[in-house]
Amino acid sequence: ERRAGIMLRFFLLVNKQGQTRLSQYYEHMPLADRSAFEAQIVRKCLARSEGQCSFLEYLGYKIIYRRYASLFFIVGVDASENELAILEFVHAYVETLDANFENVCELDIMFNLDKAHFILDEMVMNGHLVETAKININEALTLLLAEK
């Protein structure tokens, strides 16, 4: 069966100490299981050297991650997904964060978690990648902030 578009299973944003700063799941996972699951995934990603590729398969997922400064952006997808397309999505997310926070850092995420989630929600709906154009995402964010 062929489905349209890219399907994400989860999205994690963690610091280099392994602390989760943002998480979004697109399939059901009991809350009690998430901490242990995230710890396993994060340990695998943080243990890899910069010389190793940013893709690995673990626990039935293809894990794609990218480090920007002190933050790791980790995405879990099905084995059939295109790794480079996911890296492009992560890059578009980071560029959109940068446009809103002027060189995004961990504190920006911590103090503006709702905005970081809103940007992610504009890009991904029910696990499907729906928008990557920064101008469209920023326009929706501007409208939201104008209402406050």
Side-chain angles (χ1 to χ4, degrees), residues 64-119:
I64 297 107
Y65 68 94
R66 187 152 183 185
R67 180 179 176 181
Y68 287 91
S70 65
L71 294 171
F72 283 82
F73 296 77
I74 303 170
V75 181
V77 297
D78 294 332
S80 62
E81 296 295 354
N82 182 323
E83 299 92 346
L84 298 178
I86 301 300
L87 284 175
E88 275 299 312
F89 154 68
V90 169
H91 187 70
Y93 181 66
V94 171
E95 283 185 331
T96 306
L97 290 174
D98 277 343
N100 286 281
F101 297 117
E102 296 180 23
N103 212 2
V104 69
C105 69
E106 184 177 353
L107 287 177
D108 291 325
I109 301 298
M110 290 173 62
F111 292 120
N112 298 285
L113 191 58
D114 56 339
K115 194 186 263 193
H117 267 288
F118 181 83
I119 292 168

Side-chain angles (χ1 to χ4, degrees), residues 3-14:
R3 57 179 168 39
I6 294 173
M7 180 71 184
L8 279 64
R9 299 299 177 189
F10 61 86
F11 182 94
L12 304 173
L13 202 163
V14 300

Side-chain angles (χ1 to χ4, degrees), residues 116-136:
H117 267 288
F118 181 83
I119 292 168
L120 184 60
D121 291 344
E122 282 296 305
M123 298 178 81
V124 181
M125 186 175 294
N126 294 328
H128 294 278
L129 189 56
V130 293
E131 183 64 75
T132 56
K134 291 182 293 283
I135 193 163
N136 293 342

